Amino acid sequence: MSESDWVSRFADEVIAEARRRDPDRPIVCASGLSPSGPIHLGNLREVMTPHLVADEIRRRGHDCVHLLSWDDFDRFRKVPAGIDPSWAEHIGKPLTSVPAPAGSEHPNWAEHFKAPMAAALAELGVEYRPVSQTQMYTSGAYTRQVLRAMSERERIDAVLRRYRTKEGVDDDGSVAAGYYPYRPYCSQCERDLTTVTGYDDETTELVYECGCGHSETVVLAEHRQGKLAWKVDWPMRWAYEGVVFEPSGVDHTSPGSSFVVGGQIIGPVFGGEPPIGPMYAFVGISGMAKMSSSRGGVPTPADALSIMEAPLLRWLYARRRPNQAFTIAFDLQIQRLYDEWDALSAKVDTSTATAADAAAHGRATRTARGALPTTARPVPYRTLASIVDVTAGDEDQALRIVRDLDPSRPIGSLDETRPRLDRARAWVLTQLPAEQRTRVRDEPDTGLLASLGDDERESLRLLAAGLDENWSLPGLTTLVYGVPKRLLGLPEDVKPTPELRAAQRAFFALLYHLLVGRDTGPRLPTLLLAIGADQVRKLIGT
């Protein structure tokens, strides 16, 4: 594989590392997501990076599992915008103990936000084994590890002390009475407003006080309502699950961060080794700042899949190395993105793509289990968007236009253009600003027509005369670019000159004004097909 094929290179490293550790165990790749709110497209990189590597390992015939930990036993931190302020009474409870937003069909807050992400991952072909941290902690699966962490609390505290920036209470479990890496949820108020005030290693009796006024002594060996501090919890899971590969965001790789501290805790405390894995960079959205789930209106994978096909979204994550930031387009740039994708697909079909590009395309369109659904007749996205725009979604009109795109291979049903057509329709309806929507004129602009000069009238005559003979997308493209050439006395195959480009721009602007009353609009060949030859002739006064 090419050096730029990052997935293949990481697969090589992971396979070699797994053989070194234990050649008889399945290879474990891991991700973690917190369903504390909408899971956005930046979070998706946390899943797609190990998915692509795990899938490559499976393609090579190795037994590989991709674990996805749902951090649904984390505390509810704050009430997001748009949620009833009364939900503040649940701050501090596990996410699975918080009621779902009003009107939700799901049993709790965590399940409400897990569901759309799980559906998106299924559509993306991501194969994983889900792990609920609520289930793991409350079932007692981690009890031995919790007790181990408590018995090694001084060793853990020594590691954390190197990075701790303040005395007293800290998120890592440090309190004035000593360091304890475990925090119980209060049995009275269900919140984690608790402080551990004592612990007996022999009996495992743990004493805590809660901000609600409740105090209690529990036997930790039997206690199920609490969890390890995050910087201890993560390395505990690495050891428990035997994780070989897990990427981490840039915020987890600075000095004193979770990944760094976890790497120093896992061996001495839990007897394991930290995973290998890259730091991954942020994912942006066209026209938006860095994504954060604490802000409202952040696009999710479900939002992206409503306007683009799954292989295209997979490709965006596969073609860039994890440490490279990239942007996902929800604006007009999505049309250029689809043009790039279609051009790559054509190169792959003709075996002219580079090895790395072909590999990224292959990972986007299929997994080890098989191919993802694709559009049978992939009409250019910008063309479909224009058709939806001009026809206001009328399917009979849309079918008439797509049939005329290539008369030599007419499309018999709109189903042949799906799901891409549906994605383009969703983009027009949800993302295209109202001022950019196309409104075809009902009647000719008589004032503009009366003001035209002889050359402009001749250009319109030449266009009208050539419509029937060139009534296809390629034919009309040649026609609209060719009319200014004929007026200038130039051959059809002439190379563009500044004078010719200026003449073409002026001609196009004239047509847009006559047809839609604006300087610009959808690509003219598509617009002409959408309007129909007779109406075009009417609007241009010929």
Side-chain angles (χ1 to χ4, degrees):
M1 284 292 179
S2 164
E3 179 65 19
S4 60
D5 180 12
W6 67 267
V7 177
S8 185
R9 287 187 289 110
F10 274 122
D12 291 340
E13 294 177 20
V14 173
I15 291 169
E17 178 67 11
R19 285 173 176 162
R20 183 190 68 78
R21 295 187 183 190
D22 187 345
D24 297 324
R25 287 191 61 178
I27 299 172
V28 178
C29 301
S31 305
L33 293 173
S34 175
S36 58
I39 300 172
H40 57 63
L41 288 162
N43 302 135
L44 181 59
R45 201 167 204 180
E46 165 78 22
V47 180
M48 289 303 300
T49 302
H51 160 68
L52 292 165
V53 173
D55 191 66
E56 173 64 18
I57 293 171
R58 294 190 197 106
R59 292 176 194 238
R60 300 184 188 184
H62 297 277
D63 188 2
C64 182
V65 60
H66 178 188
L67 297 178
L68 173 53
S69 281
W70 294 107
D71 292 320
D72 51 13
F73 207 45
D74 284 1
R75 75 190 306 268
F76 182 53
R77 294 185 175 276
K78 65 179 181 179
V79 181
I83 300 296
D84 189 324
S86 67
W87 256 255
E89 68 182 87
H90 303 294
I91 289 176
K93 293 181 182 179
L95 294 170
T96 41
S97 296
V98 177
S104 172
E105 61 183 16
H106 299 287
N108 58 61
W109 187 272
E111 293 302 319
H112 175 81
F113 290 106
K114 284 163 66 173
M117 184 62 171
L121 292 177
E123 186 173 344
L124 286 164
V126 177
E127 180 181 348
Y128 63 92
R129 182 184 300 168
V131 180
S132 164
Q133 291 305 309
T134 296
Q135 192 277 329
M136 295 299 287
Y137 271 106
T138 59
S139 70
Y142 294 151
T143 295
R144 187 173 65 83
Q145 287 71 25
V146 169
L147 296 177
R148 175 68 178 172
M150 288 293 279
S151 68
E152 294 287 348
R153 58 189 178 276
E154 291 185 6
R155 189 192 298 266
I156 296 171
D157 190 34
V159 174
L160 296 172
R161 198 179 302 125
R162 300 172 198 160
Y163 306 102
R164 198 171 286 136
T165 57
K166 62 182 181 179
E167 297 298 327
V169 178
D170 200 346
D171 285 342
D172 62 21
S174 175
V175 296
Y179 172 73
Y180 300 100
Y182 181 84
R183 175 172 289 179
Y185 284 108
C186 177
S187 63
Q188 288 291 106
C189 70
E190 299 183 78
R191 296 177 293 174
D192 69 344
L193 309 179
T194 56
T195 301
V196 176
T197 58
Y199 178 69
D200 187 302
D201 288 287
E202 293 295 325
T203 64
T204 76
E205 287 188 345
L206 179 146
V207 183
Y208 73 85
E209 298 175 351
C210 181
C212 72
H214 179 69
S215 60
E216 186 174 9
T217 299
V218 298
V219 177
L220 190 55
E222 302 170 359
H223 192 252
R224 301 291 184 264
Q225 294 298 320
K227 67 187 297 288
L228 292 172
W230 168 241
K231 290 181 181 180
V232 183
D233 175 88
W234 201 10
M236 179 274 291
R237 290 193 228 165
W238 292 339
Y240 182 90
E241 297 164 344
V243 178
V244 180
F245 179 81
E246 182 169 6
S248 56
V250 293
D251 51 337
H252 286 310
T253 54
S254 59
S257 66
S258 307
F259 195 89
V260 173
V261 170
Q264 297 175 30
I265 289 175
I266 185 172
V269 176
F270 299 111
E273 296 182 67
I276 62 173
M279 172 273 291
Y280 59 86
F282 293 114
V283 176
I285 300 296
S286 293
M288 293 183 66
K290 189 191 94 172
M291 290 183 287
S292 167
S293 57
S294 64
R295 295 168 47 224
V298 181
T300 66
D303 295 327
L305 289 169
S306 72
I307 65 169
M308 64 181 72
E309 295 159 272
L312 179 68
L313 186 57
R314 286 176 62 92
W315 178 60
L316 297 180
Y317 290 84
R319 68 172 179 162
R320 295 281 186 257
R321 295 192 301 274
N323 63 354
Q324 291 179 308
F326 67 90
T327 297
I328 297 178
F330 274 65
D331 56 12
L332 284 166
Q333 289 300 311
I334 192 174
Q335 298 182 0
R336 180 192 58 77
L337 191 65
Y338 254 101
D339 289 344
E340 287 184 46
W341 171 250
D342 288 343
L344 173 59
S345 299
K347 288 182 178 179
V348 170
D349 290 342
T350 57
S351 301
T352 57
T354 67
D357 285 346
H361 184 274
R363 294 191 176 97
T365 55
R366 62 186 306 113
T367 69
R369 283 192 175 272
L372 273 71
T374 56
T375 299
R377 293 288 295 274
V379 175
Y381 188 92
R382 65 174 66 245
T383 299
L384 292 175
S386 295
I387 291 171
V388 170
D389 181 26
V390 173
T391 62
D394 185 295
E395 295 216 342
D396 291 336
Q397 290 294 323
L399 180 58
R400 173 185 64 79
I401 298 166
V402 298
R403 280 176 174 163
D404 287 340
L405 293 176
D406 185 0
S408 65
R409 293 179 62 235
I411 292 173
S413 166
L414 288 182
D415 288 341
E416 296 177 54
T417 68
R418 290 189 165 100
R420 185 177 292 195
L421 173 63
D422 297 327
R423 303 300 183 268
R425 174 180 288 110
W427 179 80
V428 169
L429 295 178
T430 64
Q431 305 298 324
L432 188 64
E435 63 272 15
Q436 295 181 22
R437 297 291 297 271
T438 302
R439 301 288 185 270
V440 178
R441 296 182 62 90
D442 294 321
E443 298 295 332
D445 186 340
T446 54
L448 177 56
L449 289 170
S451 70
L452 299 180
D454 291 340
D455 284 349
E456 291 170 313
R457 294 178 189 278
E458 177 62 11
S459 67
L460 297 177
R461 188 194 68 78
L462 290 172
L463 176 70
L467 288 177
D468 293 337
E469 181 182 354
N470 296 283
W471 198 252
S472 69
L473 193 63
L476 290 173
T477 301
T478 300
L479 178 62
V480 296
Y481 279 91
V483 166
K485 296 177 184 177
R486 293 180 62 183
L487 281 178
L488 293 173
L490 300 172
E492 286 292 325
D493 59 353
V494 66
K495 291 184 178 180
T497 64
E499 180 186 14
L500 175 56
R501 289 194 180 96
Q504 288 172 331
R505 285 196 298 271
F507 178 54
F508 297 164
L510 173 61
L511 288 179
Y512 281 125
H513 276 289
L514 290 172
L515 299 174
V516 298
R518 295 203 325 252
D519 290 333
T520 61
R523 287 191 167 181
L524 279 169
T526 307
L527 180 60
L528 296 175
L529 285 174
I531 296 174
D534 290 343
Q535 182 69 0
V536 169
R537 292 190 183 97
K538 174 184 174 181
L539 293 176
I540 66 175
T542 61

